[in-house]
Amino acid sequence: GENVEQHPSTLSVQEGDSAVIKCTYSDSASNYFPWYKQELGKGPQLIIDIRSNVGEKKDQRIAVTLNKTAKHFSLHITETQPEDSAVYFCAAPNDMRFGAGTRLTVKP
Amino acid sequence: DAGVIQSPRHEVTEMGQEVTLRCKPISGHDYLFWYRQTMMRGLELLIYFNNNVPIDDSGMPEDRFSAKMPNASFSTLKIQPSEPRDSAVYFCASSPTGGGSPLHFGNGTRLTVT
């Protein structure tokens, strides 16, 4: 399957700050790039995704950017809130395997 | 739609016993996936089905694990015999078209093997 590397593994920010999580992939034919959020006791849920024909997609405080040349895509969360605290996963493009996850903690 | 439904939510069993986990995917989704989540190994893909047919079972750890999908609305993951190292949270997910579309996860089954 596709290899995907996710960084950082943990991230702690103050409420109101921004958070950025990055995933690097290897398959240049990839065309679907999703991000999932997992809250305690629940399964991962899709929060945003992007296809390769666009470079950026926004949905309120979250955005995903794609750099196909460098083979990485990033999750951006602005104006972070305590309820953003969770584990975030990228999934390998066009594959069903996941990155190692990033535990985000937003401190009030 | 009720989403992906997994049962039981929690399972505690003794080493050597058979364990069966169950999943009902979202109606109309052609793909069904089984994942295992642990602190050490993260979220691992065990097996996935397309139209009830197993496509890739390379993630199944060993012969003690088996999965079936007898129809479009039901799948099972069986471990026989169970071992303490099988303790994990097992997730089922479904999607309309596989890797190029969002996965919809159930809330998982937490398995503890003593």
Side-chain angles (χ1 to χ4, degrees):
Chain A
E2 165 79 78
N3 284 332
V4 59
E5 293 187 5
Q6 183 174 343
H7 299 280
S9 58
T10 61
L11 181 58
S12 181
V13 300
Q14 283 295 136
E15 183 177 358
D17 288 351
S18 295
V20 181
I21 305 168
K22 181 177 175 179
C23 269
T24 305
Y25 61 96
S26 57
D27 183 2
S28 58
S30 303
N31 60 19
Y32 177 68
F33 305 86
W35 284 95
Y36 292 81
K37 176 183 181 181
Q38 186 179 25
E39 297 176 329
L40 197 62
K42 297 185 178 181
Q45 284 193 305
L46 181 79
I47 55 171
I48 195 166
D49 56 12
I50 193 171
R51 299 200 181 266
S52 59
N53 57 340
V54 296
E56 182 178 7
K57 181 178 177 181
K58 288 183 178 179
D59 183 2
Q60 299 181 2
R61 295 186 299 107
I62 61 172
V64 54
T65 59
L66 172 62
N67 184 328
K68 291 208 75 178
T69 302
K71 295 184 184 177
H72 65 72
F73 59 112
S74 299
L75 176 69
H76 304 255
I77 307 174
T78 58
E79 300 173 30
T80 53
Q81 300 169 4
E83 52 264 36
D84 295 328
S85 296
V87 180
Y88 292 82
F89 294 93
C90 62
N94 298 348
D95 196 21
M96 289 69 70
R97 291 168 175 84
F98 285 75
T102 297
R103 181 172 297 279
L104 172 65
T105 302
V106 179
K107 294 180 286 186
Chain B
D1 197 320
V4 174
I5 299 173
Q6 291 187 247
S7 64
R9 282 285 276 145
H10 302 274
E11 177 79 43
V12 180
T13 191
E14 292 184 348
M15 181 175 63
Q17 297 297 306
E18 176 182 302
V19 175
T20 299
L21 311 181
R22 297 172 175 78
C23 175
K24 176 179 169 54
I26 292 173
S27 177
H29 282 192
D30 291 338
Y31 286 78
L32 183 140
F33 308 83
W34 282 101
Y35 290 87
R36 177 173 68 177
Q37 187 173 39
T38 61
M39 288 293 293
M40 291 297 295
R41 302 176 69 89
L43 201 55
E44 299 175 275
L45 176 64
L46 300 178
I47 186 171
Y48 77 93
F49 296 82
N50 179 20
N51 290 322
N52 313 339
V53 177
I55 303 300
D56 182 355
D57 65 355
S58 59
M60 296 286 262
E62 47 198 276
D63 292 345
R64 298 185 296 107
F65 286 68
S66 62
K68 293 182 179 180
M69 193 165 185
N71 57 63
S73 59
F74 184 65
S75 178
T76 60
L77 178 67
K78 184 178 292 186
I79 308 172
Q80 180 185 21
S82 58
E83 296 182 3
R85 59 193 168 120
D86 301 330
S87 297
V89 181
Y90 291 81
F91 288 101
C92 175
S94 68
S95 78
T97 59
S101 62
L103 303 185
H104 299 255
F105 283 81
N107 282 328
T109 295
R110 180 175 294 277
L111 173 65
T112 303
V113 183
T114 61

